[in-house]
Amino acid sequence: MPVNPGSTHEHDTPIPDPTNPSSNPSHSPPHRIPYRNPTTEKIYHHGRCFCGKVTFTVHRPMPVGSKYCHCKTCQRLHGAVVQWATIFHKSSISFTAGHTNLRFLYHNGDDGTICDWSYKLPCKAIASCCGAPIMDEGRTMLMMFPALIDLSDEERLAWRTQPGEGGQLPCHIFYKDRSLDVNDGLKKYEGLDGSSRVMDEGGGYRGDEEGEFEGEGSSGAYGN
């Protein structure tokens, strides 16, 4: 017969309930930055999940960089045609409420076959109270979703179009997997920025042009 999450068979260990972060220690936020961040740096922005139980502050006026990701994994996990993410140092974010409502999704690969609710980097932080994706946590950096952050129209435009604090212009990555063409004048990479060919807005290639390395690039900024 079916076994409910958390129930046991004889001689079996309890089955963790992925909807309950406290049912397994690996689901609980670690006691370190950014989940417990005693910073006294100036607060520039406030953010929250959909229901408002998870809140955080941003301690930099601009992100390190900004990316529009078109990969199939982001499309499936976010249910959207493109994911807009901004890169921050972990010390630039501080959770102010509800960090115990976060659960963590680890996945390895694009097809979802290796996927479990555990805190293993890199992973995704999701608000269990309302299901809102909060961020991707890498080994050294975070990819925050700016739709959760209270920005003025001017700030939002700057984050979308101006170089970040790392000197990187916003760009599109994994554009070959896009679900729609985007005519915004930003550079579009076949795969990761700085390590793949540049595409035009219609999906063609600019001759044999290769993507230039611009600063750290997506793989270095987020994954390490």
Side-chain angles (χ1 to χ4, degrees), residues 14-17 20-28 117-118:
I15 300 174
D17 178 2
N20 180 9
S22 64
S23 70
N24 187 320
S26 65
H27 296 171
S28 301
W117 294 103
S118 61

Side-chain angles (χ1 to χ4, degrees), residues 11-212:
H11 307 304
D12 284 349
T13 56
I15 300 174
D17 178 2
T19 66
N20 180 9
S22 64
S23 70
N24 187 320
S26 65
H27 296 171
S28 301
H31 300 284
R32 60 183 180 83
I33 293 173
Y35 307 100
R36 293 177 184 257
N37 186 0
T39 182
T40 57
E41 291 186 6
K42 179 180 177 179
I43 297 173
Y44 287 90
H45 310 289
H46 292 82
R48 66 178 183 88
C49 68
F50 178 69
C51 70
K53 291 182 179 178
V54 177
T55 62
F56 58 91
T57 51
V58 181
H59 299 270
R60 299 303 302 167
M62 290 281 289
V64 174
S66 180
K67 317 284 182 184
Y68 295 91
C69 185
H70 297 261
C71 77
K72 294 298 184 184
T73 298
C74 287
Q75 291 185 46
R76 292 188 179 102
L77 285 173
H78 291 263
V81 295
V82 62
Q83 172 202 343
W84 180 28
T86 48
I87 301 170
F88 284 94
H89 294 283
K90 292 186 180 184
S91 59
S92 299
I93 304 296
S94 178
F95 283 87
T96 52
H99 71 277
T100 55
N101 288 316
L102 294 174
R103 54 178 175 155
F104 302 97
L105 177 65
Y106 169 81
H107 71 89
N108 185 6
D110 297 333
D111 58 2
T113 55
I114 303 176
C115 192
D116 63 84
W117 294 103
S118 61
Y119 183 77
K120 292 184 290 187
L121 300 180
C123 67
K124 293 182 176 291
I126 300 168
S128 61
C129 45
C130 60
I134 303 298
M135 66 181 183
D136 289 5
E137 182 181 357
R139 296 175 182 88
T140 62
M141 307 289 278
L142 303 173
M143 291 186 72
M144 304 294 300
F145 306 126
L148 304 176
I149 301 172
D150 296 327
L151 299 172
S152 67
D153 291 343
E154 293 79 9
E155 290 168 335
R156 190 173 301 276
L157 180 62
W159 284 29
R160 290 176 49 215
T161 60
Q162 301 302 312
E165 291 191 342
Q168 303 171 351
L169 279 167
C171 66
H172 294 259
I173 57 176
F174 295 99
Y175 195 66
K176 64 181 177 60
D177 293 329
R178 71 198 182 285
S179 293
L180 78 168
D181 293 344
V182 181
N183 300 312
D184 59 2
L186 297 178
K187 187 169 284 189
K188 296 164 177 66
Y189 290 92
E190 177 185 41
L192 290 171
D193 57 310
S195 61
S196 62
R197 290 191 293 171
V198 176
M199 305 180 73
D200 60 35
E201 294 177 336
Y205 292 94
R206 300 181 181 179
D208 294 327
E209 181 180 2
E210 297 291 334
E212 302 87 354

